[in-house]
Amino acid sequence: MNCPISQPDPQIITLAHGSGGQQTSQLIEEVFIPAFFNDSLAMLHDGAFLNLPSNKIVFSTDSFVVQPIFFPGGDIGKLAVTGTLNDLAMCGAKPLYLSCGFIIEEGFLQDDLKRIVASMKEEAQKNGVQIVTGDTKVIERHNGQNIFINTTGIGVRFGVPIYPGKIQQGDAIIISGDIGRHGMAVMSKRHEFSFSSPLISDCACLFPIVQHLLQDGIEIHCLRDLTRGGLATALVELAEASNMHFEMRENAIPVSDPVRSACEILGFDPLYVANEGRFVSFLPPSLAEKAISIMQRYEEGIDARIIGFVQARSTPPLVVLKNSFGSSRNLRRLNGDQLPRIC
Amino acid sequence: MKYIDEFRQPHLVQKLVDSIHQITTKPWTIMEVCGGQTHAIVKFGLQELLPKQIRLIHGPGCPVCVTPIHFIDHAIFIAAQPNTILCSYGDMLRVPGSFTDLLTMKAKGSDIRMIHSPSDVLRIAQDYPEKQVIFFAVGFETTAPANAMAIYHAQSHRIHNLSMLSAHVLVLPAMELLMKSPDHVIQGFLAAGHVCTVSGYQQYHILSERYRIPVVVTGFEPLDILQGIYLCIEQLENEKCKVTNQYNRSVQERGNLFSLKMIEKVFQVVDREWRGIGKIPSSGLDLKKEFQMFDAALRFPMDRSLLDTENGCISGLILQGKKKPNDCSLFGNLCTPEKPFGAPMVSTEGACSAYYQYRRKK
């Protein structure tokens, strides 16, 4: 005889999974611990005990709300790990530990959650990072398709701190690869645009390249990963933070044909399109060639090249983009979102 | 990249620039009509390459910029009604109305969707038969055919929960109005290539003859624009005034007959108010009588008398080429893309937005 009271569907997340009771424990024990297993997590305590040198700690946090949650080249889980690891890497730090907070919508498929957690596990393991503490909350159903992830990371820096204030006149500005892949991949998936060439996100952890550069003694003045707002916004932020004038060469900035085509059709400027696996580095020009050859040993760095130079201190700080016709324009921060052209 | 790189080759740009310098002996003022051309001129820094005597002024060809504020207010009014889904193109959501904008209405809970094509609107109307789906349709001859097709399709498939707030405008009457103005300074036109792809340029001959002004139908890539400028200066220097077609890889003299037929089937030509310029005779497209059941302005009537439109924005003068964006005292300090006073600061095709994005402040 069947029980007349309906049971929650085991295949979806319900409000009970966020209640802090039985179903929450079940989720932790069946999904999170097997994926992220480590001694700290196995203690099932309120926090994690970490062993860290006290004066070299780097700390960063980021939240991830990407839609769609699965996109060509990655998913929200991979992004949640690489995003925070990249922020640590940009400070010249080796990432060690991550915390992870999930906010999941009632009705979310458990299989999708498992896929996301598997991506997180893979990315964390690949980079020698432990996910040592976490939290899960469930919110009421909207369309049953939303999941938000916050990750906070702790790392230890290799050597001297790396930050925008160290940018110097004459520094070469090097980009690690072609721009705009992530934003266009996500947008084409979100709006179901079917372009003939595939658009695949550049979503990747940049720590291995940064580690290699630092271990080979490259004197890096500043690093910045390119995320929302694209290359242009990152450069403007750094020019303002360092009070410097950057002169960029438009024709040196690598943009793949599929990204260029999609941008031309929609009326987007690839300089403002999001990336999730690219960074700019500022370093003495004498070291540029060596740095580029190191970057090019990695898949993510194959298109690394010099795209500009730091000119001098300037008020106001400016990023000037010179084009191949000999004229120039100023770059600004992205304002709102880029919107497709009307005609 | 095919169809792009060929028209951005630096050595050909240089060659054309040299030719322009060679033939220019006097100062000339040329208006590029389309906002897409303005965007390209500013983005690629083309003005910097031209002789000092050549002055480019920016025309009224930005669909977002010329949509009068009462249409924005009407769209906001409709979006505030229960059980509605208002659909429009992205830039329209940011344009300030008298009191608010559509993006703010969306944040407050109105169901407002950004669409990429009129077919999105049809799909939404079919997905939500219990809702009223309103298409806030803007644009010139370029967008009108596909928008007309959406209404034609709605009629033939009995999609009666769809309606259109039609703010379509026509380019040629606006060019004529500019020429009629006693203080205009325009000596040559670069006509909008994509508008002419639909409309053709047969009717431009009358404009050119009546006002003795060269008109060059021009494309949007750097080489297109520079060649358009060259052809225009060549006429001016030789005291010629005729219509020439620089953009012949896209434009035919008679236009796109299928598109024109579709416009004619669904729309009728009406007098239309342009933002900052005022009413221009026979410059707009409204739904024809037999399609009026799809007219959102009739389905959701609004009293216009309550609204206020003055805020110091000089968009009218900018759209007529009488002022440049950085002549405006609001430009760049009070009026920015984050907080636009007028539509030209909103759309990527707007002259103010292009100046803000790409040029140093004066």
Side-chain angles (χ1 to χ4, degrees), chain A residues 51-62:
Chain A
N51 192 9
L52 293 163
S54 63
N55 62 347
K56 289 191 167 180
I57 294 169
V58 179
F59 186 46
S60 184
T61 190
D62 209 340

Side-chain angles (χ1 to χ4, degrees), chain A residues 223-250:
Chain A
L223 297 167
R224 176 63 55 95
D225 60 335
L226 311 178
T227 55
R228 292 166 302 161
L231 172 65
T233 304
L235 290 171
V236 172
E237 284 172 0
L238 291 174
E240 288 179 1
S242 60
N243 280 313
M244 289 291 193
H245 176 119
F246 301 166
E247 193 165 295
M248 315 305 298
R249 301 176 196 152
E250 187 164 35

